[in-house]
Amino acid sequence: MAEQMGLRERKRRRTRQTLVHTGLRLFAERGYDQTTVADICAAAELSPATFYKHFPAKEDLAFADYPERVDAIRTLTSAPHPGESLESLLRRAFAMALEPGRWSVDADEDLVVIRTRLALTVPALRAIALRWIFDLQHEWAKALREVFPDLDDVTAHAVVGAMVGALASAGRASIENGRHGAALIEDVTRALDVAMTGLPRHFAAAKQDA
């Protein structure tokens, strides 16, 4: 049974990835508004019913994995290693976001550039992207306060806002400068290092289990 579930999950992930990759490339080639769900299904050789098993609507495909990323970061942040520093915990969350094979679109794929440009140029997607960013920051700050009890609400949100803002802004600048793949990852990693230099050092370690 475990092996069958494993095969089923791998098939589900492959189908989802096919839809995401096909959809993003069609958005880039034809335009987001000009591309329909039917177009994506035809190009991917999958049925509309299969599409809607994975995504409620076209815009959800553009932001595939965003809900899972928020949940994964919240889970990781809520369970730090004993005595782990704030900086170490944030860096582990960053590394998880870049983990190859974990998401429908790997961080070094050219589809990251396509998705970013869509989020910047399509008004409907821009609004959704901003909502996801705000939700992520809010959930992350709440989780940090739970494991760093001396971290007040304002500082928690400032820390998360500084990190997320640095990564988003640097990523956009890097893409606008024509960088992608490993070069893009290098740039956002450097942005993380810059953001980390301003962390409050007196929040050195997470609370210990009783």
Side-chain angles (χ1 to χ4, degrees), residues 189-201:
T189 301
R190 186 156 60 89
L192 175 69
D193 291 336
V194 173
M196 291 296 99
T197 62
L199 282 180
R201 296 297 168 182

Side-chain angles (χ1 to χ4, degrees), residues 90-174:
L90 294 176
R91 287 188 180 277
R92 279 206 297 125
F94 175 74
M96 182 189 65
L98 298 182
E99 189 177 327
R102 186 182 183 107
W103 316 106
S104 295
V105 177
D106 281 343
D108 61 351
E109 290 186 77
D110 61 340
L111 294 173
V112 170
V113 175
I114 291 174
R115 183 157 60 183
T116 301
R117 286 176 175 159
L118 286 168
L120 293 173
T121 58
V122 179
L125 297 184
R126 189 183 186 97
I128 294 172
L130 288 173
R131 188 190 73 211
W132 276 118
I133 289 174
F134 287 141
D135 287 349
L136 170 62
Q137 291 182 177
H138 183 70
E139 292 295 331
W140 203 351
K142 282 172 52 181
L144 285 178
R145 284 207 65 195
E146 291 176 2
V147 295
F148 293 91
D150 293 334
L151 195 65
D152 66 272
D153 202 36
V154 171
T155 305
H157 281 84
V159 165
V160 172
M163 180 177 175
V164 174
L167 296 176
S169 185
R172 174 178 178 174
S174 182

Side-chain angles (χ1 to χ4, degrees), residues 19 37 40-41 46-59 61:
L19 287 168
V37 169
I40 297 169
C41 293
L46 294 167
S47 70
T50 298
F51 180 95
Y52 289 114
K53 284 181 181 178
H54 293 270
F55 303 105
K58 185 173 69 171
E59 59 266 25
L61 180 147

Side-chain angles (χ1 to χ4, degrees), residues 29-93:
E29 293 168 6
R30 303 181 184 180
Y32 175 78
D33 292 328
Q34 291 71 34
T35 303
T36 67
V37 169
D39 294 332
I40 297 169
C41 293
E45 299 184 342
L46 294 167
S47 70
T50 298
F51 180 95
Y52 289 114
K53 284 181 181 178
H54 293 270
F55 303 105
K58 185 173 69 171
E59 59 266 25
D60 296 294
L61 180 147
F63 293 99
D65 296 335
Y66 274 50
E68 290 85 353
R69 287 174 189 265
V70 172
D71 288 342
I73 288 175
R74 180 170 51 237
T75 298
L76 182 148
T77 306
S78 300
H81 297 155
E84 184 172 25
S85 70
L86 177 61
E87 179 174 349
S88 173
L89 185 59
L90 294 176
R91 287 188 180 277
R92 279 206 297 125

